Amino acid sequence: MTTTTGMRVRVHRGCHEVGGTCVEVEAEGARLVLDVGRPLTAGREDEVPLPDVPGLADGADPSLLGVLISHGHLDHYGLLDQVHPSVPVYAGRAATAIIEAAQFFSPGPSLRTAGHLVDGETFSIGPFRVTPLLVDHSAFDAYAVVLEAGGERLMYTGDLRGHGRKRTFERLLASPPPDVDALLMEGTHVGSERHEPRTEARVELDLAATFRATTSLAVVASSAQNVDRLVTVYRAARRAGRTLLVDLYSVAVAGATGRSTIPQPGFPSLGVWLPRRQRVRVKESGEFHRTAAVRPYRVFTEELVAHPERYVVLGGQSVAHELLRDRALAVGGTFVWSMWSGYLAEPSGARLREATRAAGVPVVEHHTSGRASVRDLRRLVDAVKPGAVVPIHTEGADEFVRHFPGTTPRRDGAWWSVGTEAS
Ligand SMILES: [Zn+2]
């Protein structure tokens, strides 16, 4: 028989904010932390203190048993470098490998995992039974987690969506975890959704149509760590009869997934084009194995200038400037923005729009969100039937009440009980 001593939760950040997620869970005198995210509002150089979780910064409180990272997005793990090294960190194996692989191109906190989250494999940390559930998100190897302790069960969605390529969302709806007392559910789009998000499959078709309509080079700007988008752009390029050119960052991330199904050198109609910045980075670091490994697949800028209509170049936003300068991207070409449109409104995005406009190259947006539609969140709540829905990772907590029965909004920093008794 289980002892029913209850489980308590306090959200340190996220009750009324997208990003910077951090949740502390306590049961039977032990504590776990879910995510230690960096706020999206924080500038690159801003100092952001750790949330006030005893033992997190100094490792001096033995009741703190560890940190679970739902997925490799900075707004969920970006403060990890301030967490004391003696505090164990748990995250997905591929997620960890991807963050490690990214260090060469975009240095940041490491995931330094002590143990890995594996889909459907329950394990124990002190009194907590932890069950990770693989979810579809724009970060590869992302998890929701079910925590069980003190006779109660909490489910935390992390970030997830139902309109991606993986069938994990439908699987979750078909066999939801039973007896969830509280569902801590992300609501990025709650209160701000203007229309149903496009599916990743739809983005593929739209990209293919754009590539076909383009008579010269097509350049796609996306996040190198958005593996689903890499798959989407590759498939779209194939549909349009073009060769996809990826960069070293994309090659490193694809390799780190450990999945042979993810497009990487050796795949048909896939080549490697190296932006100047990466060539310099390799030279400075002396890590020439990186370029040696892709040598047979390389396509050079001269070839892009000679036969631009044969290719799609996938890279970060700076790639467009280089290709414009080298006249590979010119009249007849298309620049595709495949990231959050808000970035295009920032100063760097404005410079990009100005540069493409001056070159007579249209900018087309093909993107879809990594987070669930309100409709899919409603399906999730209907399937899980939790005792309570608690909004997190949202600016629309007040709207939750309208969409999801049983919503109990909470405040950042306040403890509440997972069970049905009044807190
Ligand atoms: Zn995320």
Side-chain angles (χ1 to χ4, degrees):
M1 203 177 126
T2 340
T3 44
T4 308
T5 54
M7 189 194 288
R8 293 201 308 157
V9 176
R10 70 172 159 174
V11 176
H12 286 272
R13 195 184 287 112
C15 287
H16 297 280
E17 184 175 340
V18 171
T21 304
C22 183
V23 182
E24 185 179 6
V25 184
E26 183 204 62
E28 300 175 33
R31 291 171 301 126
L32 278 182
V33 168
L34 306 173
D35 288 338
V36 277
R38 190 177 165 80
L40 291 170
T41 48
R44 195 177 274 267
E45 307 300 328
D46 291 353
E47 294 274 337
V48 180
L50 272 181
D52 189 15
V53 176
L56 195 59
D58 57 14
D61 190 328
S63 72
L64 179 63
L65 302 184
V67 175
L68 268 56
I69 300 295
S70 62
H71 65 281
H73 276 161
L74 283 168
D75 64 324
H76 291 259
Y77 79 92
L79 300 183
L80 208 48
D81 52 348
Q82 296 178 60
V83 172
H84 196 270
S86 67
V87 179
V89 176
Y90 302 83
R93 185 184 300 276
T96 305
I98 287 170
I99 299 303
E100 279 317 302
Q103 298 292 349
F104 181 79
F105 306 95
S106 173
S110 158
L111 281 185
R112 61 168 185 83
T113 45
H116 290 121
L117 306 180
V118 180
D119 183 32
E121 288 193 11
T122 303
F123 65 104
S124 293
I125 307 175
F128 296 97
R129 301 277 293 156
V130 181
T131 306
L133 300 171
L134 186 70
V135 294
D136 189 290
H137 181 44
S138 45
F140 196 78
D141 199 26
Y143 293 90
V145 287
V146 177
L147 290 187
E148 208 179 332
E152 278 158 356
R153 200 172 280 162
L154 171 76
M155 178 174 174
Y156 168 54
T157 61
D159 286 358
L160 83 181
R161 64 175 176 176
H163 57 276
R165 291 190 176 281
K166 288 189 275 297
R167 307 306 299 158
T168 49
F169 192 74
E170 298 303 325
R171 190 190 65 175
L172 181 59
L173 298 185
S175 51
D179 306 321
V180 170
D181 296 295
L183 174 64
L184 202 47
M185 185 171 79
E186 73 105 337
T188 316
H189 293 306
V190 177
S192 62
E193 189 174 72
R194 288 187 297 273
H195 44 75
E196 278 276 308
R198 286 195 272 180
T199 61
E200 200 66 37
R202 182 72 241 171
V203 173
E204 176 185 329
L205 295 178
D206 293 347
L207 279 166
T210 293
F211 297 159
R212 282 196 203 97
T214 299
T215 56
S216 182
L217 187 66
V219 176
V220 181
S222 174
S223 158
Q225 292 186 33
N226 188 341
V227 175
D228 276 13
R229 191 56 47 80
L230 165 66
V231 173
T232 296
V233 177
Y234 175 66
R235 292 171 57 112
R238 297 270 285 165
R239 281 178 183 275
R242 290 184 180 231
T243 293
L244 176 67
L245 301 179
V246 296
D247 63 9
L248 283 184
Y249 193 173
S250 175
V251 170
V253 169
T257 64
R259 310 286 201 285
S260 59
T261 50
I262 302 301
Q264 46 202 298
F267 270 51
S269 302
L270 188 139
V272 178
W273 175 79
L274 296 194
R276 190 168 293 123
R277 182 196 290 229
Q278 291 183 0
R279 294 200 304 269
V280 170
R281 181 82 186 88
V282 166
K283 202 169 285 179
E284 285 173 353
S285 67
E287 296 192 19
F288 294 106
H289 65 272
R290 293 180 183 272
T291 39
V294 300
R295 190 162 296 135
Y297 311 102
R298 278 185 71 174
V299 170
F300 294 86
T301 303
E302 300 74 55
E303 166 65 8
L304 294 187
V305 173
H307 301 288
E309 74 288 351
R310 293 180 183 170
Y311 301 101
V312 173
V313 175
L314 175 64
Q317 39 170 308
S318 64
V319 159
H321 287 294
E322 180 174 340
L323 291 169
L324 285 167
R325 220 169 26 239
D326 292 343
R327 308 244 190 283
L329 179 57
V331 173
T334 304
F335 179 59
V336 180
W337 189 255
S338 198
M339 292 187 266
W340 180 54
S341 58
Y343 295 134
L344 257 189
E346 291 173 2
S348 62
R351 280 195 298 278
L352 208 47
R353 274 182 288 131
E354 176 50 32
T356 46
R357 195 196 56 76
V361 173
V363 178
V364 179
E365 289 190 54
H366 291 307
H367 181 56
T368 192
S369 172
R371 285 71 165 265
S373 66
V374 174
R375 189 179 72 97
D376 280 340
L377 291 177
R378 204 177 292 135
R379 292 169 69 212
L380 179 64
V381 171
D382 287 347
V384 175
K385 297 183 181 61
V389 176
V390 179
I392 192 166
H393 203 273
T394 187
E395 290 177 357
D398 300 335
E399 291 278 310
F400 261 68
V401 183
R402 204 159 61 78
H403 293 293
F404 315 109
T407 294
T408 314
R410 300 291 181 177
R411 277 180 298 110
D412 282 356
W415 284 105
W416 44 273
S417 296
V418 168
T420 43
E421 84 274 24
S423 51

